[in-house]
Amino acid sequence: MPAESSEQQSPPPSSLLSYSLTPSMASADLRQELDCSICLSIYTDPVTLRCGHNFCRVCIDRVLDTQEAAGVYICPDCRAECQERPVLQKNITLCNIVGRFLSTQPDQEETGIFCTYCIHSPVPAAKSCLLCEASLCDNHLRVHSKSSEHVLSDPTTALGNRKCSVHKEILEYYCTEDAACICVSCRLDGEHRGHHVEMMDEAIKKKKEKLRNVLQKLTTKRAETEKRVQSLQERRREDQGKADGVTETVTALFRDIRRQLEDMEKTVLSEISRQEQRVSLSVSDLIQQLEIKKDELSGKMRHIEELCNMSDPVTVLQEPDTGDLCDTEDTEGHDTQVHGAGDLDVGLISGTLHTLLSDIITGISTGIYVQQPTDLLLDVTTGSDYIQISGDRKTASRSDIRQNHPVTPERFQYNQVISTRGFSSGRHYWEVDVSKSEMWRVGMCYPSIDRRGLQSAIGNNNKSWCLSRGNNQSSVIHDCTGYQLPEDMCCYRVRVYLDYEAGQLSFYSLCDPIRHLHTYTATLTEPLHAALCVGAGCITICGGVRSWEKLPYQILPETGDITGRGI
């Protein structure tokens, strides 16, 4: 085969080892044989699919990852399909070829810059001459001028950028005062005369060192960001799993309710049908009796008519007393019997319906949650001198007149009060009406909270958590760190929810629909007491605290929030 033809035809990877890889033969054809079809760069850790096509391990792994959701894996080159993720076999032969090729072209293949003077075939450049503004391969570099005027650099396409735009001389210095690359004339006679300058190589070394430091910081930040992304992705998967579990739980719940309603409908309709049949039989018997009676009366009427038409007085007078002919059963008794037999027992039907509905509601309540409302009372011994507590110990009001309460270690100096009861386990929630106050804080705190100074206010220390309202803004505060809510509250009733074992304290706005505001998560070490801080007006605890146990179904009372066992 002619030599020219052999150069034009690309040999298969298995035969590439037979080539003597010299710079002159490192042509574009050979280079293309070593390019990954995905990243279009020279192979890195090449692997082979079953169909025989080669790729960088990282490149094909990414492609297979994107195909995993579809359940079908396709070769990017030949589109061959397989149902299972293909096992990647390392192509040792191709690895050796790449290694030998790179060893003959050190640092040249990475640039993609070719010799200016090799016009018949592209040969990678080894250096660029800034004076000649040309790139040279190894062969042309050997015959190139060694004069100091011919400054050689790594291969570059921006040769014009390495000369001064004013003096057309090579840029050899870096002016640190003006942050500019300059030539000799700029330094000695130009506008940079007398400035502090550095040699280009030294300046580049310093700049690269700074860039490496920045790169290290960026790498660290990227790793942290990637970790956060992975954490959020895991959180999303957990939330999706939780949502699927809740959906399954609610679907089963309503399926059971529908089944019970269908059974109840059959029972009630069966009772109505039974009563209707009983009444119908009774009325039918009465109708039959009355029909017989009607026939008897008709016969007597005909006999009397015959007597009235007789002309023989003896025959008429010898008939029994006509009063006997009128003797019949009491029609009023028949009417009573008819009315008694003709009425459906609506009371019994309503009672049955009510009983069955009550059983369903009781079953749902027992299967969903056990609610145990108890009073949540304010501890008058903790209220400040400017806080008034109502007689039912449910309302805390701000007073402009000092109350002169007895001084006790438990009493707050700040305008707030806590509840008598604390919670050291379980799940509970309570609600508060804040419609009559424009400045307030609602939350929970440890009993060991300070009672003196500004740091004693709930939210201003690490022993309390609160939802705050003031200056027409709402925020959540803990340990003096506040977080302003992105949306303003749209109602005047707040719910505080505690899951002690989970260490979660949540706040809800009881608008329509109920809106979750924020959840704090902490390791709780003491009992938590409800806390109210009143800056103006008054706020009131609505009812008592509600507690419940986790059962097969969990629906938080009034909210409709539903969970399943273990969710």
Side-chain angles (χ1 to χ4, degrees):
M1 181 180 293
E4 181 179 353
S5 175
S6 63
E7 288 182 359
Q8 293 177 350
Q9 186 176 4
S10 299
S14 60
S15 63
L16 288 177
L17 280 176
S18 62
Y19 276 65
S20 177
L21 298 177
T22 63
S24 60
M25 295 185 62
S27 63
D29 290 339
L30 180 58
R31 176 65 170 81
Q32 291 175 358
E33 289 293 337
L34 301 179
D35 279 347
C36 171
S37 62
I38 297 177
C39 64
L40 303 180
S41 298
I42 197 164
Y43 288 118
T44 301
D45 190 15
V47 294
T48 305
L49 298 182
R50 289 186 223 168
C51 57
H53 291 105
N54 302 300
F55 306 94
C56 300
R57 183 181 294 274
V58 173
C59 295
I60 192 61
D61 267 335
R62 289 175 181 168
V63 172
L64 295 178
D65 287 342
T66 62
Q67 297 175 349
E68 187 170 1
V72 178
Y73 301 92
I74 304 173
C75 172
D77 282 353
C78 67
R79 313 304 295 172
E81 298 183 2
C82 59
Q83 300 300 320
E84 296 183 357
R85 185 172 181 129
V87 178
L88 302 179
Q89 298 291 339
K90 185 172 183 177
N91 192 327
I92 299 177
T93 301
L94 192 54
C95 282
N96 294 334
I97 295 173
V98 171
R100 291 178 60 186
F101 181 79
L102 292 178
S103 67
T104 62
Q105 305 290 327
D107 300 328
Q108 295 177 5
E109 275 303 304
E110 298 180 359
T111 65
I113 300 172
F114 298 96
C115 178
T116 306
Y117 303 110
C118 293
I119 59 176
H120 296 291
S121 62
V123 177
K127 293 289 183 179
S128 292
C129 178
L130 302 182
L131 181 62
C132 300
E133 296 188 8
S135 297
L136 305 97
C137 65
D138 287 328
N139 290 331
H140 287 97
L141 187 61
R142 282 195 292 268
V143 297
H144 188 69
S145 174
K146 302 299 188 291
S147 172
S148 60
E149 297 178 352
H150 293 265
V151 179
L152 298 177
S153 70
D154 291 334
T156 177
T157 56
L159 295 172
N161 296 337
R162 296 296 301 271
K163 287 187 177 182
C164 176
S165 60
V166 177
H167 304 103
K168 305 303 178 182
E169 297 178 4
I170 296 175
L171 301 174
E172 300 182 57
Y173 301 95
Y174 179 74
C175 178
T176 58
E177 296 183 17
D178 297 328
C181 297
I182 62 176
C183 66
V184 175
S185 298
C186 290
R187 176 187 181 186
L188 298 177
D189 303 319
E191 60 184 44
H192 300 278
R193 184 174 56 184
H195 291 184
H196 181 270
V197 298
E198 297 176 346
M199 293 298 295
M200 187 80 75
D201 293 341
E202 183 181 354
I204 284 291
K205 183 178 180 181
K206 293 181 179 179
K207 184 63 176 284
K208 287 185 176 180
E209 185 64 29
K210 291 181 180 179
L211 292 176
R212 290 189 187 97
N213 293 335
V214 173
L215 180 61
Q216 181 63 37
K217 294 179 180 178
L218 292 177
T219 302
T220 302
K221 288 187 177 180
R222 185 182 67 177
E224 293 175 353
T225 303
E226 185 175 357
K227 186 176 180 181
R228 292 182 59 189
V229 169
Q230 293 175 352
S231 176
L232 290 175
Q233 289 175 341
E234 180 64 26
R235 169 69 182 276
R236 181 174 62 184
R237 286 191 291 269
E238 291 177 356
D239 290 343
Q240 182 62 46
K242 184 182 295 185
D244 293 342
V246 172
T247 300
E248 183 179 353
T249 298
V250 173
T251 301
L253 173 64
F254 279 98
R255 187 188 304 116
D256 186 58
I257 293 175
R258 284 192 292 270
R259 181 189 59 76
Q260 294 186 62
L261 288 174
E262 291 173 357
D263 293 344
M264 183 185 70
E265 179 185 16
K266 293 178 181 178
T267 300
V268 174
L269 292 179
S270 176
E271 174 62 21
I272 295 174
S273 177
R274 186 189 66 80
Q275 290 196 30
E276 189 273 335
Q277 290 179 0
R278 177 180 57 81
V279 170
S280 178
L281 289 174
S282 299
V283 172
S284 297
D285 290 343
L286 290 175
I287 290 174
Q288 185 177 5
Q289 295 176 17
L290 290 176
E291 288 290 345
I292 295 173
K293 190 64 179 180
K294 185 179 71 171
D295 293 340
E296 293 178 354
L297 292 175
S298 297
K300 290 182 178 182
M301 290 173 62
R302 287 193 297 270
H303 182 63
I304 292 175
E305 288 176 352
E306 291 175 356
L307 291 176
C308 290
N309 293 328
M310 286 184 180
S311 58
D312 182 7
V314 176
T315 303
V316 173
L317 292 175
Q318 286 181 347
E319 282 293 323
D321 191 354
T322 55
D324 294 340
L325 298 176
C326 295
D327 289 342
T328 60
E329 293 183 5
D330 185 11
T331 57
E332 183 177 351
H334 281 295
D335 292 341
T336 301
Q337 189 175 2
V338 169
H339 285 300
D343 290 336
L344 289 174
D345 192 345
V346 179
L348 177 59
I349 296 172
S350 299
T352 302
L353 182 62
H354 183 270
T355 300
L356 293 174
L357 285 173
S358 299
D359 290 343
I360 291 177
I361 294 174
T362 301
I364 295 174
S365 300
T366 302
I368 297 175
Y369 65 87
V370 176
Q371 193 178 45
Q372 302 169 342
T374 57
D375 280 340
L376 185 64
L377 305 177
L378 299 175
D379 188 349
V380 295
T381 65
T382 64
S384 77
D385 287 342
Y386 291 93
I387 292 292
Q388 284 184 329
I389 308 300
S390 62
D392 62 359
R393 298 163 67 185
K394 295 283 189 179
T395 301
S397 305
R398 172 65 188 273
S399 174
D400 294 331
I401 302 175
R402 188 170 183 173
Q403 305 299 307
N404 292 322
H405 294 307
V407 178
T408 62
E410 295 82 14
R411 193 171 302 283
F412 284 101
Q413 189 179 43
Y414 204 73
N415 298 322
Q416 60 190 27
V417 62
I418 65 175
S419 63
T420 56
R421 182 185 178 188
F423 305 97
S424 57
S425 64
R427 297 179 301 154
H428 320 274
Y429 78 86
W430 54 286
E431 297 170 2
V432 61
D433 183 353
V434 294
S435 60
K436 297 180 180 179
S437 177
E438 295 182 354
M439 296 180 62
W440 48 264
R441 291 186 179 186
V442 174
M444 305 195 85
C445 68
Y446 290 150
S448 61
I449 187 175
D450 289 340
R451 307 301 170 109
R452 296 289 184 270
L454 184 62
Q455 72 276 5
S456 64
I458 56 173
N460 286 7
N461 48 73
N462 61 1
K463 296 186 177 183
S464 58
W465 299 259
C466 77
L467 171 66
S468 174
R469 176 72 176 176
N471 298 324
N472 295 323
Q473 292 181 344
S474 302
S475 58
V476 287
I477 308 174
H478 169 65
D479 201 11
C480 285
T481 301
Y483 169 73
Q484 185 173 338
L485 299 178
E487 297 181 8
D488 198 13
M489 293 179 55
C490 57
C491 71
Y492 298 99
R493 191 157 172 159
V494 173
R495 172 175 297 168
V496 183
Y497 165 79
L498 169 67
D499 188 337
Y500 195 93
E501 281 73 17
Q504 292 183 340
L505 184 65
S506 304
F507 299 95
Y508 294 84
S509 173
L510 300 187
C511 50
D512 187 14
I514 296 174
R515 185 160 58 92
H516 171 258
L517 300 176
H518 190 75
T519 294
Y520 280 112
T521 301
T523 302
L524 303 177
T525 57
E526 299 181 42
L528 279 175
H529 291 250
L532 306 179
C533 179
V534 190
C538 66
I539 52 181
T540 301
I541 296 175
C542 305
V545 65
R546 298 174 187 264
S547 310
W548 61 95
E549 300 175 0
K550 185 172 284 189
L551 293 175
Y553 299 113
Q554 287 287 327
I555 296 184
L556 304 186
E558 303 177 19
T559 68
D561 295 341
I562 304 178
T563 62
R565 182 181 296 277
I567 296 179

